[in-house]
């Protein structure tokens, strides 16, 4: 026996207005009580991943908007008509996939490095910091590495193929001498 159940997903906005996609998912039920799988639901990751409240295309768009276009999470959430937490969950889901694409790093001519508080201190742990590696010219976060030291930057540079680091002509960082020394050593021909 086959049934259809409407499921609602936040989708890409239309003319600045949040929109909803309604997918009539097929649900199968076996009439035989001794079935190993008495019911099953249609699975379509091209529409939406399981337990997601956003379509796949809206999730990818939100991840790119937050990660590469550096748009505020709250603004992206408002455009999609979802909560801040929903956007962050989606960024975590799709971020690994998008960050694993090595082509995102090719062609960085202006490299920016800065530390960012990742997790505030609590009574259980100290403040956690990360180092953001940015493509300053194209305005997106290329990578995020654990810690905020010269070693964080040096290890990242050492892990990249020449095709990534060979095009860097300008380097930008905050006033950190640790970052400055690591960047001068890694990119001796670059402008600071």
């Amino acid at each position: 026996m086959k049934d259809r159940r409407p499921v609602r997903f936040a989708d890409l906005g239309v003319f600045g207005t949040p929109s909803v996609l309604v997918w009539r998912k097929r649900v199968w039920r076996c009439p035989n009580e001794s079935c190993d799988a008495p019911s099953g639901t249609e699975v379509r990751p091209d529409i939406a991943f399981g337990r997601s409240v956003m379509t796949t295309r809206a999730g990818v768009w939100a991840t790119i908007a937050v990660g590469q276009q550096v748009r505020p999470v709250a603004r992206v959430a408002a455009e999609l008509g979802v909560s801040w937490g929903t956007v962050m969950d989606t960024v975590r889901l799709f971020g690994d996939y998008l960050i694993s694409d090595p082509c995102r790093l090719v062609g960085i001519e202006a490299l920016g490095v800065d530390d960012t508080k990742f997790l505030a201190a609590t009574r259980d742990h100290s403040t956690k910091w990360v180092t953001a590696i940015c493509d300053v010219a194209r305005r997106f976060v290329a990578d995020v590495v654990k810690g905020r030291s010269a070693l964080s930057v040096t290890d990242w540079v050492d892990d990249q193929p020449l095709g990534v680091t060979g095009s860097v002509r300008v380097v930008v960082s905050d006033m950190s001498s640790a970052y400055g020394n690591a960047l001068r050593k890694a990119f001796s021909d670059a402008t600071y």
Side-chain angles (χ1 to χ4, degrees), residues 36-47:
D36 291 338
S39 68
T41 304
E42 184 175 18
V43 176
R44 294 278 310 268
D46 59 317
I47 296 175

Side-chain angles (χ1 to χ4, degrees), residues 9-88:
F9 297 94
D11 200 7
L12 294 176
V14 178
F15 303 112
T17 303
S19 68
V20 174
L21 176 102
V22 179
W23 172 24
R24 292 179 44 89
K25 280 179 100 169
R26 290 180 279 199
V27 179
W28 292 274
R29 288 181 183 81
C30 181
N32 185 350
E33 290 182 20
S34 63
C35 275
D36 291 338
S39 68
T41 304
E42 184 175 18
V43 176
R44 294 278 310 268
D46 59 317
I47 296 175
F49 282 90
R51 302 192 185 278
S52 179
V53 297
M54 278 199 290
T55 61
T56 298
R57 65 183 170 202
V60 170
W61 176 84
T63 303
I64 291 169
V66 170
Q68 293 180 354
Q69 298 171 359
V70 196
R71 295 179 61 200
V73 174
R75 184 172 294 158
V76 171
E79 287 180 39
L80 293 171
V82 298
S83 71
W84 185 93
T86 297
V87 170
M88 285 309 298

Side-chain angles (χ1 to χ4, degrees), residues 169-189:
R169 302 287 172 254
V170 175
V171 178
V172 179
S173 75
D174 61 11
M175 300 301 287
S176 164
S177 60
Y179 283 156
N181 293 336
L183 291 168
R184 276 187 203 63
K185 189 173 182 179
F187 303 104
S188 57
D189 295 335

Side-chain angles (χ1 to χ4, degrees), residues 115-170:
D115 59 352
T116 302
K117 187 190 311 182
F118 181 70
L119 196 60
T122 67
R123 61 184 157 101
D124 298 326
H125 63 78
S126 61
T127 301
K128 306 284 185 195
W129 294 87
V130 294
T131 297
I133 313 287
C134 303
D135 184 326
V136 178
R138 294 183 290 185
R139 300 181 56 207
F140 74 89
V141 177
D143 219 340
V144 177
V145 296
K146 190 175 183 179
R148 60 174 185 164
S149 66
L151 185 59
S152 301
V153 173
T154 303
D155 286 348
W156 183 85
V157 171
D158 290 346
D159 287 345
Q160 305 311 309
L162 184 59
V164 171
T165 57
S167 60
V168 175
R169 302 287 172 254
V170 175

